[in-house]
Amino acid sequence: MNENEADLLKNALKGSSAIYMMAENYVYIPENLAIQKIIKAGKVGEIIFVEGMYIHDCKELFMKDGKLTWRGEWNTDNIKYHYPTHSLGPICRWLDIGADGPDYFDKIVNYGTKSSSLIEYFKENNINEKATQPDIVFSIITTKKGVVIHLRYDTKTNRPSLKNGFEIQGTRGWIKSGRYDGEEPVVYYASKKKIIPLYETEEYKDVVEKFLFDLKKYGKLAVTFMMFNDFLNSLRTRKSAIPLEDAILWSSPIWSWNRQ
């Protein structure tokens, strides 16, 4: 949750024989794996802009039996952007950003809206606490290679969920999620001047065909199984699938409030 904790983790790992792997499940979502294939194949050209959105109204999880849960307490502390990794994990994989990649973050600036939706919710439920967390937090990140990344973290506004929202703009194409959960993502290739559903691309079909666990049978659990499978492989090979360096980088907007 802050730079000091990052340093503590680094030092703990240096003096340990343990394996650290961050449990970020969104890098295993089939749509995100298919996007990675499309980008790596160069089909949308050079990437100049990426947007990642986690929009999920979770206010009902902020309280239980008239008291704040840990989620509710986080929204009465000044933590700002307290879970960027659902968006940043896949983006960093797509763009080879990280400890072993050719690109890295250059600047991060965060902006927050007013807490109006959360204040109203607290009033409606007779919660006598001060809402400090913005309804929506935005991060603008620039990379060393000049890519602009826009993140939106939104767990309080009254709108349909978009838990895996994304937009990728390249010099030769464009990829966009639906506007809400259930609306299909699309891909546009400038050479074909045609918009096609992501689910009809050869990359998505290949991901589904080779997925280690049956997506139809297990649904979202299949993604979790993939993550745990990578953790077991990390133990066997002694090389983490999501190492500490990446985990710290993906978490960095949390403590980068309006800092350049």
Side-chain angles (χ1 to χ4, degrees):
M1 301 305 295
N2 54 58
E3 288 175 288
N4 181 55
E5 288 186 352
D7 289 337
L8 289 171
L9 273 173
K10 285 180 184 177
N11 293 332
L13 193 59
K14 284 179 183 177
S16 172
S17 61
I19 290 292
Y20 175 98
M21 174 181 157
M22 186 181 196
E24 178 43 69
N25 55 336
Y26 271 49
V27 300
Y28 299 96
I29 291 176
E31 290 90 338
N32 295 340
L33 292 171
I35 290 170
Q36 187 169 331
K37 283 178 170 286
I38 292 170
I39 291 174
K40 300 296 186 189
K43 291 188 174 182
V44 289
E46 180 185 354
I47 306 302
I48 59 173
F49 170 76
V50 182
E51 183 172 44
M53 294 169 281
Y54 182 71
I55 304 171
H56 183 196
D57 185 2
C58 294
K59 292 193 298 294
E60 73 280 359
L61 300 177
F62 291 179
M63 58 180 291
K64 185 177 181 180
D65 299 328
K67 296 182 179 179
L68 292 180
T69 63
W70 63 268
R71 287 184 175 88
E73 289 175 352
W74 273 20
N75 282 278
T76 58
D77 294 325
N78 210 20
I79 298 175
K80 304 298 190 276
Y81 200 137
H82 51 223
Y83 204 84
T85 67
H86 276 337
S87 297
L88 265 184
I91 288 173
C92 287
R93 287 286 178 87
W94 297 339
L95 304 183
D96 289 327
I97 298 171
D100 298 324
D103 205 358
Y104 207 78
F105 294 166
D106 186 27
K107 295 179 181 179
I108 303 175
V109 182
N110 294 337
Y111 302 93
T113 67
K114 295 188 292 185
S115 307
S116 302
S117 300
L118 188 56
I119 289 170
E120 284 188 10
Y121 182 76
F122 279 3
K123 286 181 179 178
E124 290 168 0
N125 289 275
N126 298 315
I127 300 174
N128 189 26
E129 297 283 352
K130 184 179 179 181
T132 59
Q133 177 74 10
D135 282 348
I136 309 172
V137 181
F138 302 94
S139 284
I140 303 295
I141 301 172
T142 55
T143 76
K144 296 290 186 182
K145 285 190 170 184
V147 180
V148 176
I149 299 170
H150 172 235
L151 305 179
R152 173 175 174 173
Y153 178 79
D154 178 352
T155 57
K156 290 167 281 295
T157 60
N158 295 303
R159 56 149 289 169
S161 292
L162 179 59
K163 294 186 285 294
N164 189 36
F166 50 81
E167 181 170 354
I168 301 104
Q169 184 63 62
T171 55
R172 292 195 284 150
W174 169 75
I175 308 172
K176 182 74 172 70
S177 69
R179 295 165 297 174
Y180 47 83
D181 289 347
E183 187 173 63
E184 290 193 6
V186 296
V187 181
Y188 173 79
Y189 297 125
S191 60
K192 299 179 180 178
K193 297 190 183 303
K194 185 178 180 182
I195 296 174
I196 60 174
L198 177 66
Y199 300 146
E200 293 181 10
T201 63
E202 59 185 63
E203 288 81 8
Y204 183 79
K205 292 176 181 177
D206 184 60
V207 166
V208 171
E209 183 181 343
K210 295 178 180 177
F211 215 73
L212 290 180
F213 302 93
D214 191 328
L215 286 160
K216 289 184 178 179
K217 180 178 180 180
Y218 297 112
K220 293 179 181 179
L221 278 176
V223 173
T224 303
F225 294 161
M226 282 284 283
M227 181 179 68
F228 278 107
N229 185 72
D230 257 12
F231 178 65
L232 293 175
N233 285 333
S234 295
L235 293 175
R236 295 186 187 106
T237 63
R238 311 301 295 173
K239 181 175 174 60
S240 176
I242 306 178
L244 180 60
E245 293 85 354
D246 286 344
I248 291 171
L249 183 68
W250 299 358
S251 303
S252 57
I254 295 171
W255 61 77
S256 300
W257 188 254
N258 288 341
R259 190 188 69 183
Q260 297 188 46

